[in-house]
Amino acid sequence: MIDLENGNYPIKLGGDDVLIELNQFIGDYYSSSSIFILCDSNTVKHCLSKLDWLDLENIKSAEVLEIEPGEASKSIEVYYQLVESLLDLGANRKSVLINLGGGVVSDLGGFIASTFKRGIDFINVPTSLLAMVDASIGGKTGINAGGAKNQIGIFSEPAAIFISDVFLETLPNKEINSGLGEMVKHLLISDEHALSKLDELTENVKIEDIANSISVKLNFVKGDFKESGARKALNYGHTFGHAIESFLMNKGISITHGEAVFIGILIENQLAVQLGNMSELEKSSIENWMHTKFDLKSFFKQIETEEIISLLQFDKKNIDHSVSFSLVGPIGKCSINVHPDNSNIESSLSIFCN
Ligand SMILES: NC(=O)c1ccc[n+]([C@@H]2O[C@H](COP(=O)([O-])OP(=O)(O)OC[C@H]3O[C@@H](n4cnc5c(N)ncnc54)[C@H](O)[C@@H]3O)[C@@H](O)[C@H]2O)c1
């Protein structure tokens, strides 16, 4: 088992041993608490049975709360339904919520736990690669509003995170690739040799790769929990990525978070080239790798560039109506608080014309 050093709460990684450790943790800290497990219907089907410790006697009670899979569940309506369910089921301030799922479950569940009765404990047990390397880590929780992503939320840390690769056995390939989106981001913002390592990022992800990717995130979060400085580097690819995800979500077109981040990275690299931060060669190496791995161009024809630009206004990094980017260049370094002029932003979207 890998134990990641993180001052505030334990992060354990491994296989079955991690689930045994989770059992122990619950027994040690929550034996007299009522336990709630938030799942979506896929994680009820594929992941819940892996927590067979639920039958153990040292647990007072455990109730499963189930949501529909997908981004649409990160809504105020689903939030409110779940709060009502918790009240109906007698949850109190000693209750604990286990978030068993991908990033939708950990974002929504973390937000519910942090606001229910002014805050109850929650434990993240991420089951998608993306949630393992990114969404379950770092304490950002929240839901979408007004047709834009993550407009309501709170920074709030879990009591612990348990990451077991047994869950990856049932994760569809498309979702593995989505997780690679955030792993590429972590590599490009932190490692000057990232380009020569891109080919090592394959669908056969090992627990050590997950640990390395998390360590990059933890390094940026450390000392800047509320994202006033260095942590903003983790938003590389996300200024445009979130706008694209919101745009397609509003049109009912399905895209994984990782695919949206990949497209965001391609556009923001173009911007970085225009501003002289990144070389053409670096940009093309990343582009070539992504296009050989993912069919991103199928989304290109759906994009309406004016709407994407108007969605940039919802980005939480913006100050005084000026859109703020975190741009990589040279590789391994990320400039934060970059405010390009509108003509540069518009021309970076020319990648959709190629
Ligand atoms: N809080 C943060 O710091 C942070 C960081 C990155 C992303 N996010 C958020 O995370 C969300 C994306 O997370 P995601 O990609 O995990 O999406 P997701 O939660 O929708 O999961 C993707 C799909 O995989 C299914 N699934 C999950 N685990 C499974 C398993 N083991 N077996 C079979 N199916 C499984 C889910 O049911 C879903 O259909 C977005 O809302 C994004 O905004 C948050």
Side-chain angles (χ1 to χ4, degrees):
M1 187 161 36
I2 303 172
D3 211 337
L4 281 182
E5 197 39 61
N6 170 52
N8 304 346
Y9 53 89
I11 304 179
K12 311 271 182 189
L13 292 91
D16 285 323
D17 50 345
V18 165
L19 300 182
I20 295 167
E21 189 80 8
L22 168 62
N23 182 19
Q24 183 69 39
F25 187 79
I26 297 278
D28 288 349
Y29 296 102
Y30 300 104
S31 58
S32 60
S33 305
S34 46
I35 295 168
F36 295 87
I37 305 174
L38 182 63
C39 296
D40 68 25
S41 53
N42 291 325
T43 62
V44 164
K45 186 167 166 202
H46 299 293
C47 307
L48 196 57
S49 62
K50 292 176 175 142
L51 302 189
D52 47 12
W53 50 266
L54 281 177
D55 292 329
L56 290 189
E57 280 172 7
N58 64 355
I59 286 164
K60 196 180 155 204
S61 68
E63 297 276 356
V64 174
L65 305 171
E66 182 177 329
I67 57 168
E68 290 293 316
E71 193 62 29
S73 285
K74 273 175 61 176
S75 69
I76 195 78
E77 292 80 14
V78 175
Y79 166 83
Y80 191 68
Q81 283 162 15
L82 290 166
V83 167
E84 284 202 314
S85 301
L86 285 172
L87 291 170
D88 290 346
L89 292 164
N92 57 39
R93 287 184 93 169
K94 277 183 69 194
S95 300
V96 58
L97 182 67
I98 299 177
N99 295 320
L100 180 69
V104 165
V105 166
S106 54
D107 275 14
L108 173 68
F111 183 56
I112 291 169
S114 308
T115 49
F116 183 75
K117 294 188 190 277
R118 298 209 178 90
I120 62 172
D121 280 2
F122 65 101
I123 298 171
N124 284 340
V125 184
T127 61
S128 71
L129 178 61
L130 188 136
M132 292 178 188
V133 296
D134 198 352
S136 70
I137 312 285
K140 279 189 183 176
T141 72
I143 55 177
N144 306 324
K149 286 199 42 107
N150 306 332
Q151 297 300 299
I152 303 175
I154 188 165
F155 288 94
S156 176
E157 293 190 310
I161 305 177
F162 292 90
I163 299 173
S164 169
D165 62 3
V166 299
F167 295 121
L168 295 180
E169 289 160 14
T170 57
L171 191 68
N173 251 346
K174 188 179 169 63
E175 298 300 338
I176 297 272
N177 287 339
S178 174
L180 294 180
E182 299 289 13
M183 292 176 82
V184 167
K185 176 193 78 180
H186 287 163
L187 198 57
L188 292 172
I189 60 175
S190 66
D191 187 338
E192 60 180 313
H193 304 297
L195 294 183
S196 63
K197 295 181 182 170
L198 285 177
D199 286 335
E200 293 165 23
L201 276 179
T202 68
E203 293 73 15
N204 301 318
V205 185
K206 295 186 204 59
I207 202 74
E208 292 75 16
D209 304 326
I210 295 174
N212 289 338
S213 201
I214 293 173
S215 298
V216 172
K217 178 156 186 179
L218 289 175
N219 267 334
F220 281 100
V221 172
K222 194 172 59 189
D224 186 23
F225 182 54
K226 293 216 170 166
E227 199 178 272
S228 52
R231 182 174 181 166
K232 290 184 188 172
L234 293 163
N235 291 311
Y236 166 52
H238 283 63
T239 311
F240 271 116
H242 276 161
I244 282 164
E245 199 179 356
S246 301
F247 170 78
L248 294 175
M249 178 179 78
N250 297 340
K251 295 226 161 233
I253 299 167
S254 150
I255 184 167
T256 64
H257 181 72
E259 285 167 335
V261 170
F262 276 131
I263 299 177
I265 287 177
L266 294 182
I267 307 170
E268 291 177 24
N269 285 352
Q270 173 60 35
L271 196 51
V273 167
Q274 289 168 201
L275 299 176
N277 291 29
M278 184 181 277
S279 72
E280 272 289 350
L281 193 65
E282 289 173 324
K283 185 193 86 164
S284 335
S285 308
I286 298 169
E287 234 165 62
N288 292 341
W289 179 82
M290 286 191 188
H291 284 310
T292 55
K293 274 201 137 10
F294 309 101
D295 179 22
L296 299 175
K297 288 207 166 157
S298 62
F299 294 109
F300 283 21
K301 48 183 174 293
Q302 327 254 17
I303 302 287
E304 289 162 36
T305 52
E306 274 173 28
E307 289 217 29
I308 298 296
I309 288 175
S310 78
L311 277 163
L312 292 176
Q313 68 177 296
F314 293 108
D315 194 89
K316 294 178 293 304
K317 299 187 300 311
N318 295 351
I319 295 164
D320 296 337
H321 303 292
S322 164
V323 186
S324 175
F325 289 87
S326 303
L327 297 179
V328 162
I331 300 297
K333 298 248 176 312
C334 188
S335 304
I336 59 170
N337 302 326
V338 182
H339 295 266
D341 57 33
N342 287 344
S343 64
N344 263 315
I345 294 177
E346 278 162 31
S347 47
S348 67
L349 285 163
S350 63
I351 70 153
F352 292 124
C353 306
N354 298 328

